[in-house]
Structures are given as C-alpha cells and as structure tokens.
Amino acid sequence: MHFYQALQRNASKLSNKVATSYGEQEHTWKEVEDRVAKLAAALIAHGVQAKEHIAILSLNSNRYFEYFNAVPWMGAVVVPLNIRWSLKENIYSLENSQSSVLFIDDAFLEMGLALEKSCPKLRLMVYIGDGETPKGMLNYEQLINESTPVEPIHSNYDDLAGIFYTGGTTGFPKGVMLSHANLWTSSISVTAEMGLNNEEDSYLHAAPMFHLADIGVSYAMVISGIKQVFVPFFDPKSVIEAIEVKQVNHVLLVPTMITILLATPELNNANLTSLKTIIYGASPMPEGTLIEAMDKMPTVSFIQAYGQSELSPLVSILPAKYHVLDGPMSGKLRSAGRPSYCVNVEIRDENGHCLPNGEIGEIAARGPNKMLGYWNNPEQTELAIVNGWVMTGDAGYMDEDGFIFLVDRVKDMIVTGGENVFSAEVENALSHHAAIQESVVIGIPSEQWGESVHAIIRLNQDQNTTEIEITEHCREYIAGYKVPNSIEFRKDPFPMTGAGKLRKVELRAPYWENKKRAIN
C-alpha cells in the first residue's frame, strides 16, 4: 500500500465526514484529498520531481497532515525535521538528506531563513503560516487555490517514502529510511491489535508530528477513518481543553507528558468522559506514574506501544486488558507487551545466539516494518541490521508468556522526555570546548523526564570553566534536551578496561543502585 491510500479510501467512503480539525478550521475527507492532490500538482508545476526529498519544520497542524500525504502522492520523499533541534543539527539533516524543498511555519520562520542561507541545495521554500508570506517563499494556501488536482504516482510499495532522523552513535544524526510498505505494516498492525477502528471517533495529535510514535499511531487511525484533531504542541491545559471541547477519544502521550498532565491542577476538574484511550510509548513508563494515571483517570484505557524508528516504529504492544493490578491478567504492567502482528522478536546473547525465556540479552526484531537502512550510511546500517534482524540496542528478557521486559540498554543512549540522546552527540559537542580534556556522558534517573543527561568532565591542566559556560557552549551545537542537566567535574582518570576501553557501566552504577532496571 502507498502511504496516501487510506486518505483515498476515506475520501470515497466517508467523503462528507470531518477529517481534520485545527482550531476553527475543519475539512472533510473529500476536501482533504482535493487539497492534497492540488498541493502535489503545485509542487510538480514548480519543477519538483518524483523521488526528491521534501523537508518540513513546523508545529502540529492540519497542513502538516496534508504535507504527509501530498509528498508521497507525487512520488517524493518526506523529511520531517525535529522541532527541538538546534540550527546546526537541522542544517546537518537537510544537507545530509539532500532536501531541495522546505515547508516552514511561523514558529520556525527565523530558523527557516537561516537554513535557506546555509543549505544551497534548498531551491524552494513553502510558507505554511498564516501571516504575510516572506519574500522569496511560496504561500501554501495560494499554491492549493491556484492548482488543479493531479492523480497520484503509483510507485513501488518498497520505494523510499521518508527519511526520519534520529540520534547518532557517532555524534551525528542518522536518517532512517522507511518505505511505504514499512509504514503501512506498522500502522495496520496498530489498527488491528489496538482495535481502535470506530469511524465516529477522533484522535488528538498532542505529541510532535515529526516523531514516528505519532506518525505510526495517527496513521493507524487514518486507516480506520478516524478524525484527526490537532494542537500545535503539547501543553497540558490545551490538551485538556481540546479533549473537552472537541470530544477527543484517543491520544498518544509519552510518559513525560503524562507526568506533566498528572501534576496539572485542571485535570482534577476536567471532563474527560469522551476520552477512551491513552496510548503511551517512546520511553519506558515508571510503574508508579502509570498506576497514578490509572487511578486519576479510571474511565480511560491505557495501551503501551514499544518500538523505535528503525522498525517504523512498532515492536510490541501491551493491550489495555493487562493494565490491571490484580486478577488473571495482572503481573504484566512493567512489561512492554508481546510482539505485534508481523513482528518476530528474539533475545540474543553477545554472540548472536537466541536465549531461552528469562535470560537477559539484546532485543532483536524483524518483519516487513524493518527499515531499508540509514541514508548514506552503510557502515551504521551493517551494525544495526544483522542477517535481516534489527538490533534494537535495548536489553531485556521474555517471560514464559512471550511478554518483553526491558532492563537496560546495550546502546549508549539516553531517553529523556521520550527523545533519544546518544551520549556521543553530547560528548562531541563538549569536545569543542577549549577547557575540556575529556568527558563522559551518561543517563541518570529523573522523576520528571525519566532520564536526564549527566556529564562527567575532566579539564585541561590550568583550565577553568563553569557549568553555565559549558551549558551555553553545548546549546550552539545540540538541541536543548540534549544539553547536560547536571555536570560533575573530576580530576581522577576515567576507569578503563584492560583493552583501553572506557568502563561507562562503572560510572553509571552509583546512580542506578536499588533500581529494578537500569533504564527509567
């Protein structure tokens, strides 16, 4: 299936039903299909070819949704940029992906102008805001209003549909290449297994739309003909208001969002009678937080989805029926669920051998949702995909019932607020500071963010600096959520193995004492 085919089906079957709702703007499925076909036509008229890479840097909106359908409609490739990344990170992603078109909204207009100057391959800028169109940019609504719809290009299902950037183990972001079949497999599995297929329902985009967690779940809802509701970004009051006013039925939230929502006073008096399901994922949910959420929102069903970008993104699902504290279905609350439809999972030892139930190893997964590879990065692709299996970098075990339990990470990665941070990215930024001799970055427990970024630093002889100076230095190179939340200075050399490798596990250990698992 092509990524846009669910839209076509809905335009035919549910033509007069509301498809998208953003503020006061509402469009039916037929209207959305027409707008998508016109936007594709406008891009073609401006010389954009099939297979070109078209990026977007924007907050959530109905236009973002239309972009996601119009680009594959004309046979091109989506490149969603991370709204939390620094200018340098997004320059790298645009240049690395060889994107030639950039869609930009009001929130990122200043960065968009800087990106245009820094990325010579960008030849078209499309303004999707509501203000005055900046000089040299194309106006989104004008493009649609002045175009005639075109038929979609029927490319191969295995053709590249999108490049989705994630953190990099080498200090640079990696572009995960996903095909139409990859994305469809993941979304249709969500549709089937979660059972969220009532055409009268609505789904709220509260998580950022560049993130594959939202893409995978929301498109499962599109397959089911479910209305798409948008808020620009996660704000607990805005989310509560959207649920109340627009009678939202389903929403995806990362654990940090749920933590913030639980601490919001307005939740106590909120009318959430319409809300049926909260899907959570992108990072492990602290058990105490989940129990509190279940207690405060007893009429809401909770579903966990575990995965990663390299798997489009689904690996496993923990259905609502296992979110109980007693009875025959209890005892699975700390698990990440069982492998989803179309996904095989094994627990592997360091030699690649499959381990029996109960033994801890690296989680390996395969299926038609397996990525095509990393864009222009065959070396990292070879490390990530071994004999057709994606090595997730997560350590865990499987119980006798086939439930996956996460316990640690094999990859040197931190998950903070649902975002992946590879230590190498932060260490690379720190290496540019003249006073720093060497650094080690680790993840430590955080009640608010799950994990926080902690830097341990050794300074050059006779050099001095402060935590504030280091923090400001890092912000020039990396996104704010990657900047160390805490910094520790030490004079003693870092612990090393006999082979001269850093013993980072030893540095992490004191922070994770008395924890049930070494990830949070």
Side-chain angles (χ1 to χ4, degrees), residues 22 30 67 71 76 110 112 135 177 201 218 222 231 345 361 364 372 384 389 398 402 425 442 452 474 477 494:
Y22 179 59
K30 186 61 180 175
Y67 155 90
V71 174
E110 185 178 344
K135 185 179 180 180
M177 297 189 294
D201 283 355
S218 68
V222 175
V231 289
V345 171
L372 302 176
W389 292 77
M398 195 176 288
E425 295 179 279
I442 59 175
S452 65
C474 288
Y477 292 87
F494 295 133

Side-chain angles (χ1 to χ4, degrees), residues 313-368:
L314 189 63
V315 174
S316 63
I317 290 176
L318 183 69
K321 64 183 179 181
Y322 294 105
H323 286 74
V324 291
L325 301 178
D326 49 45
M329 298 294 186
S330 63
K332 307 300 185 183
L333 205 58
R334 284 186 52 247
S335 85
R338 288 189 278 203
S340 183
Y341 300 139
C342 306
V343 183
N344 293 127
V345 171
E346 289 184 354
I347 310 298
R348 302 277 190 85
D349 66 15
E350 58 185 11
N351 296 314
H353 299 138
C354 188
L355 292 170
N357 291 337
E359 291 196 22
I360 297 172
E362 183 172 3
I363 298 167
R366 70 175 178 183

